[in-house]
Amino acid sequence: MPTLAHYLYVSGALFSIGLLGVLLRRNILIIFMGLELMLNAANLSLVAFSRFHPGLDGLPGYNAQVLVFFIITVAAAEVAVGLAIIVALFRAKQTVHVEDLDTLKF
Amino acid sequence: MSLALFWIFAILTLLFAVGVVVFRSPVSSAMSLVMSFVGLAALFVTLDAFFIAVVQVLVYAGAVMVLFLFIIMLLDLRTEERRPVKLAAWAGGGIVLAGFLVAIARVISSLPGATNTKPEILPGLNDVAQVGVALFRNFNLPFQIIGVLLLVATIGVVVLSRRELK
């Protein structure tokens, strides 16, 4: 049987891969996908904790699953707004490469 | 059996997540991300979180990824040309990541109850009903605020993607 530590390690690995994508890739869309991976890693650890710590009534902690539901909703809204900003940026600059987007650079 | 399924879906999720980072073509990355989300949904099923698994497939693997693919198609992105890598950025990224992994390993190994197997829960539980009760009884106000947030996001997207009329 998998233990809580198994799920937490998978969650940590997934978060690290997402972080690596954000740090190393220069395509702004791939950076955005890395952000989604990191959000999902957080969801996995929340659901794992809810399953491994049931309440006194023998039910899993459903409050954590409601929190995951909220995270998914906010992430969907965030993706929509972020992609709209990327499209507006592409219209203005004709690039999705972050090193070409240096207008705010000091 | 349960452990085998866990490993199959964990490795599937992590491999496709690596694919998101290493593929040069944005469409391959997006497809890889879809598979990673499906693997993650399967992991949620192994945790008896059926509602979250279904929402994960519907919202992430469905709606969000369709949006990503539409934007990739709209921007007409080709495979990125290789640019010289910045050694400082890679080294900095590696150091941050190594520190993060060490911190996570230390936290998990010192966590009480981390090696417990899954505790028994009531069999035949109606997962969707339980999440619904928790959502509407304990989190009714946040639920409605989320509705307002979605409305604001929708209006914001329409305003952002509107072409300026000259």
Side-chain angles (χ1 to χ4, degrees):
Chain A
M1 288 286 274
T3 65
L4 177 57
H6 281 99
Y7 284 98
L8 293 183
Y9 278 121
V10 170
S11 165
L14 199 60
F15 191 93
S16 312
I17 294 168
L19 187 65
L20 206 64
V22 172
L23 288 173
L24 298 185
R25 292 303 299 266
R26 264 92 48 92
N27 184 333
I28 200 163
L29 278 166
I30 310 288
I31 291 179
F32 215 56
M33 291 180 194
L35 284 179
E36 295 306 311
L37 280 178
M38 283 153 72
L39 277 170
N40 275 286
N43 283 350
L44 180 60
S45 60
L46 278 171
V47 174
F49 275 120
S50 96
R51 179 62 183 80
F52 282 88
H53 294 280
L56 296 174
D57 47 1
L59 299 177
Y62 281 108
N63 288 355
Q65 298 197 13
V66 172
L67 181 58
V68 170
F69 177 74
F70 284 148
I71 292 175
I72 290 178
T73 317
V74 173
E78 173 236 323
V79 165
V81 174
L83 287 176
I85 291 174
I86 290 175
V87 169
L89 206 61
F90 187 79
R91 272 199 199 132
K93 296 269 185 186
Q94 299 298 319
T95 181
V96 288
H97 201 277
V98 286
E99 280 169 3
D100 299 336
L101 303 169
D102 53 2
T103 318
L104 285 178
K105 209 168 181 178
F106 182 56
Chain B
M1 188 59 199
S2 170
L3 191 63
L5 282 177
F6 166 80
W7 279 118
I8 289 170
F9 289 121
I11 289 170
L12 195 79
T13 307
L14 293 177
L15 271 185
F16 279 107
V18 169
V20 174
V21 179
V22 298
F23 282 139
R24 307 299 301 177
S25 152
V27 177
S28 312
S29 283
M31 283 315 191
S32 192
L33 193 57
V34 173
M35 285 311 294
S36 181
F37 285 160
V38 171
L40 202 63
L43 281 182
F44 287 150
V45 171
T46 66
L47 285 167
D48 301 302
F50 303 108
F51 174 69
I52 296 297
V54 170
V55 168
Q56 171 87 11
V57 171
L58 283 181
V59 175
Y60 266 118
V64 166
M65 292 322 295
V66 166
L67 201 58
F68 261 105
L69 286 170
F70 260 116
I71 297 300
I72 292 171
M73 192 186 74
L74 196 71
L75 302 188
D76 194 21
L77 297 178
R78 306 271 170 239
T79 305
E80 286 178 64
E81 77 276 34
R82 293 186 175 273
R83 298 203 184 190
V85 291
K86 285 193 172 158
L87 213 62
W90 278 75
I95 290 170
V96 169
L97 198 68
F100 176 74
L101 284 174
V102 170
I104 281 203
R106 286 185 54 152
V107 167
I108 294 177
S109 60
S110 66
L111 188 73
T115 51
N116 293 354
T117 51
K118 265 181 256 181
E120 289 296 316
I121 52 170
L122 300 175
L125 210 55
N126 191 342
D127 181 67
V128 181
Q130 294 292 334
V131 174
V133 167
L135 185 60
F136 288 107
R137 191 169 285 162
N138 304 338
F139 299 96
N140 205 327
L141 183 64
F143 182 72
Q144 297 184 35
I145 294 173
I146 284 285
V148 177
L149 176 84
L150 283 177
L151 176 68
V152 172
T154 313
I155 296 172
V157 168
V158 171
V159 171
L160 274 173
S161 51
R162 190 190 47 167
R163 221 177 264 275
E164 286 295 327
L165 296 173
K166 295 197 178 97

